[in-house]
Amino acid sequence: MGKIKIQKKDVWIDMTPMSDVMTLLLCFFMLTSTFLQPEPIKVNTPSSVSEVKVPENSVLNILVGSDGKIFLGTDNKNDMVAMLQTVTDKFGVQINGKQLKNYKEESMVGVPVSIIADYLNLEPEKMAEEIQKHGIPTDSIDGGMSEFQEWVKAAREANPDIKIAIKCDSKTSYKVVKTMMSELQDMNENRYQLITNLKTSSED
Protein backbone atom coordinates (compact mmCIF):
# COMPACT_ATOMS: atom_id res chain seq x y z
CA MET A 1 0.00 0.00 0.00
CA GLY A 2 1.42 3.38 -0.99
CA LYS A 3 2.14 6.11 1.59
CA ILE A 4 -0.34 8.88 1.90
CA LYS A 5 1.34 12.19 1.30
CA ILE A 6 0.16 14.92 3.61
CA GLN A 7 0.09 18.25 1.91
CA LYS A 8 2.28 20.78 3.69
CA LYS A 9 0.86 24.20 4.35
CA ASP A 10 2.80 27.31 5.21
CA VAL A 11 1.98 28.85 8.57
CA TRP A 12 1.14 32.53 8.17
CA ILE A 13 0.86 34.82 11.20
CA ASP A 14 -0.66 38.24 10.84
CA MET A 15 1.81 40.67 12.46
CA THR A 16 -0.38 43.73 12.03
CA PRO A 17 -1.81 43.67 15.60
CA MET A 18 1.71 43.35 17.08
CA SER A 19 2.93 46.29 14.98
CA ASP A 20 -0.01 48.35 16.22
CA VAL A 21 0.78 47.50 19.83
CA MET A 22 4.47 48.36 19.43
CA THR A 23 3.59 51.69 17.81
CA LEU A 24 1.21 52.54 20.65
CA LEU A 25 3.82 51.62 23.27
CA LEU A 26 6.46 53.72 21.51
CA CYS A 27 4.12 56.73 21.38
CA PHE A 28 3.23 56.25 25.06
CA PHE A 29 6.83 56.24 26.24
CA MET A 30 7.75 59.19 24.04
CA LEU A 31 4.89 61.29 25.43
CA THR A 32 5.40 60.37 29.07
CA SER A 33 9.20 60.44 29.23
CA THR A 34 10.97 63.24 31.07
CA PHE A 35 14.07 64.39 29.23
CA LEU A 36 17.12 65.33 31.28
CA GLN A 37 18.04 68.99 31.18
CA PRO A 38 21.63 69.69 30.09
CA GLU A 39 23.89 70.80 32.92
CA PRO A 40 26.57 73.52 32.57
CA ILE A 41 29.30 71.25 33.93
CA LYS A 42 29.86 67.55 34.44
CA VAL A 43 29.54 66.47 38.06
CA ASN A 44 30.65 63.08 39.38
CA THR A 45 28.56 62.59 42.50
CA PRO A 46 29.83 60.55 45.46
CA SER A 47 28.37 57.15 46.24
CA SER A 48 25.96 56.36 49.09
CA VAL A 49 23.55 53.63 50.15
CA SER A 50 20.51 55.93 50.08
CA GLU A 51 17.76 54.94 47.66
CA VAL A 52 15.44 57.89 48.31
CA LYS A 53 14.24 59.20 44.97
CA VAL A 54 14.46 62.94 44.32
CA PRO A 55 11.15 64.40 43.03
CA GLU A 56 11.09 65.16 39.31
CA ASN A 57 8.97 68.32 39.49
CA SER A 58 9.08 71.53 41.54
CA VAL A 59 12.72 71.04 42.49
CA LEU A 60 15.39 73.73 42.75
CA ASN A 61 18.55 71.92 41.62
CA ILE A 62 21.79 73.31 43.03
CA LEU A 63 24.84 72.09 41.13
CA VAL A 64 28.32 72.40 42.65
CA GLY A 65 31.34 71.62 40.50
CA SER A 66 34.67 70.19 41.59
CA ASP A 67 36.14 73.71 41.40
CA GLY A 68 33.48 75.11 43.76
CA LYS A 69 31.40 76.94 41.14
CA ILE A 70 27.68 76.96 41.94
CA PHE A 71 24.78 76.82 39.48
CA LEU A 72 21.06 76.51 40.10
CA GLY A 73 17.85 76.07 38.18
CA THR A 74 14.48 74.36 38.03
CA ASP A 75 12.53 72.43 35.40
CA ASN A 76 9.65 74.93 35.48
CA LYS A 77 10.36 77.68 32.94
CA ASN A 78 7.75 80.00 34.46
CA ASP A 79 9.52 79.77 37.82
CA MET A 80 12.86 80.44 36.10
CA VAL A 81 11.49 83.60 34.48
CA ALA A 82 9.98 84.76 37.77
CA MET A 83 13.33 84.20 39.50
CA LEU A 84 15.13 86.27 36.86
CA GLN A 85 12.67 89.13 37.15
CA THR A 86 12.92 89.18 40.94
CA VAL A 87 16.73 89.13 41.02
CA THR A 88 17.27 91.62 38.19
CA ASP A 89 14.75 94.02 39.75
CA LYS A 90 16.60 93.71 43.04
CA PHE A 91 19.92 94.69 41.42
CA GLY A 92 18.48 97.16 38.90
CA VAL A 93 19.41 95.17 35.78
CA GLN A 94 17.35 95.60 32.60
CA ILE A 95 16.60 92.53 30.46
CA ASN A 96 15.27 92.88 26.89
CA GLY A 97 13.24 90.45 24.80
CA LYS A 98 16.18 88.78 23.09
CA GLN A 99 17.98 88.25 26.39
CA LEU A 100 14.83 86.80 27.95
CA LYS A 101 14.45 84.40 25.01
CA ASN A 102 18.04 83.20 25.44
CA TYR A 103 17.48 82.82 29.18
CA LYS A 104 14.46 80.57 28.61
CA GLU A 105 16.66 78.21 26.64
CA GLU A 106 18.99 77.77 29.60
CA SER A 107 18.43 75.06 32.20
CA MET A 108 20.45 76.77 34.93
CA VAL A 109 21.71 80.14 36.13
CA GLY A 110 25.44 80.43 36.76
CA VAL A 111 26.84 83.91 36.31
CA PRO A 112 27.01 86.99 38.57
CA VAL A 113 24.10 89.40 38.17
CA SER A 114 26.53 92.17 37.16
CA ILE A 115 27.29 90.42 33.86
CA ILE A 116 24.04 88.52 33.26
CA ALA A 117 22.82 90.99 30.61
CA ASP A 118 26.05 90.68 28.61
CA TYR A 119 25.99 86.91 29.08
CA LEU A 120 22.45 86.64 27.67
CA ASN A 121 23.52 88.62 24.59
CA LEU A 122 25.90 85.83 23.55
CA GLU A 123 25.17 83.08 21.05
CA PRO A 124 24.06 79.75 22.62
CA GLU A 125 27.45 78.11 21.95
CA LYS A 126 29.30 81.00 23.59
CA MET A 127 26.88 80.96 26.53
CA ALA A 128 27.66 77.29 27.16
CA GLU A 129 31.38 78.11 27.28
CA GLU A 130 31.04 81.32 29.30
CA ILE A 131 28.86 79.92 32.09
CA GLN A 132 31.56 77.38 32.97
CA LYS A 133 33.95 80.23 33.85
CA HIS A 134 31.77 81.82 36.51
CA GLY A 135 29.19 80.42 38.93
CA ILE A 136 26.89 82.25 41.34
CA PRO A 137 28.79 84.19 44.05
CA THR A 138 28.24 83.24 47.68
CA ASP A 139 29.90 86.35 49.10
CA SER A 140 27.52 88.58 51.07
CA ILE A 141 26.72 91.99 49.59
CA ASP A 142 27.25 94.91 52.01
CA GLY A 143 26.73 92.58 54.95
CA GLY A 144 23.39 91.37 53.59
CA MET A 145 22.38 88.38 51.50
CA SER A 146 24.63 86.91 48.84
CA GLU A 147 23.61 86.52 45.21
CA PHE A 148 23.21 82.79 45.84
CA GLN A 149 20.76 83.51 48.63
CA GLU A 150 18.90 86.01 46.45
CA TRP A 151 18.37 83.37 43.77
CA VAL A 152 17.17 80.81 46.31
CA LYS A 153 14.83 83.39 47.84
CA ALA A 154 13.49 84.26 44.37
CA ALA A 155 12.85 80.56 43.69
CA ARG A 156 10.95 80.25 46.96
CA GLU A 157 8.85 83.31 46.10
CA ALA A 158 8.11 81.94 42.63
CA ASN A 159 7.05 78.57 44.05
CA PRO A 160 6.53 78.29 47.83
CA ASP A 161 6.33 74.47 47.54
CA ILE A 162 9.63 74.10 45.71
CA LYS A 163 12.06 71.52 47.11
CA ILE A 164 15.82 71.87 47.15
CA ALA A 165 18.20 69.23 45.82
CA ILE A 166 21.99 69.62 46.00
CA LYS A 167 24.28 67.82 43.56
CA CYS A 168 27.97 68.13 44.42
CA ASP A 169 31.00 66.65 42.77
CA SER A 170 32.87 64.07 44.83
CA LYS A 171 35.98 66.31 44.64
CA THR A 172 34.24 69.51 45.74
CA SER A 173 36.00 71.20 48.65
CA TYR A 174 34.28 70.71 52.00
CA LYS A 175 34.70 74.44 52.66
CA VAL A 176 32.56 75.30 49.61
CA VAL A 177 29.81 72.87 50.61
CA LYS A 178 29.84 74.12 54.20
CA THR A 179 29.57 77.76 53.05
CA MET A 180 26.64 76.95 50.78
CA MET A 181 24.78 74.97 53.44
CA SER A 182 25.41 77.71 56.02
CA GLU A 183 23.84 80.24 53.66
CA LEU A 184 20.81 77.99 53.24
CA GLN A 185 20.52 77.62 57.02
CA ASP A 186 20.70 81.41 57.43
CA MET A 187 17.55 81.54 55.27
CA ASN A 188 15.86 78.83 57.34
CA GLU A 189 16.19 76.44 54.40
CA ASN A 190 17.03 73.40 56.48
CA ARG A 191 15.38 70.71 54.38
CA TYR A 192 17.13 69.60 51.21
CA GLN A 193 18.19 66.41 49.50
CA LEU A 194 21.69 65.40 48.43
CA ILE A 195 21.95 63.71 45.03
CA THR A 196 24.37 60.77 45.02
CA ASN A 197 25.09 57.59 43.08
CA LEU A 198 23.97 54.29 44.54
CA LYS A 199 26.93 52.52 46.10
CA THR A 200 27.75 49.16 44.52
CA SER A 201 29.05 46.04 46.25
CA SER A 202 32.46 46.46 44.55
CA GLU A 203 32.93 49.78 46.39
CA ASP A 204 32.59 48.20 49.85
Side-chain angles (χ1 to χ4, degrees), residues 58-61 72-77 79-80 83 107 162:
S58 297
V59 178
L60 178 65
N61 293 299
L72 59 80
T74 178
D75 61 304
N76 190 313
K77 293 300 181 182
D79 290 348
M80 286 287 286
M83 290 163 56
S107 60
I162 201 167

Side-chain angles (χ1 to χ4, degrees), residues 40-41 67 69 71 106 109-112 115-136:
I41 57 173
D67 54 1
K69 293 183 175 66
F71 310 85
E106 292 293 283
V109 181
V111 297
I115 66 168
I116 195 167
D118 294 332
Y119 165 74
L120 294 175
N121 279 328
L122 300 173
E123 295 299 322
E125 296 80 9
K126 293 292 184 181
M127 290 174 64
E129 295 175 5
E130 190 67 21
I131 194 173
Q132 298 179 22
K133 302 175 184 177
H134 299 283
I136 300 176

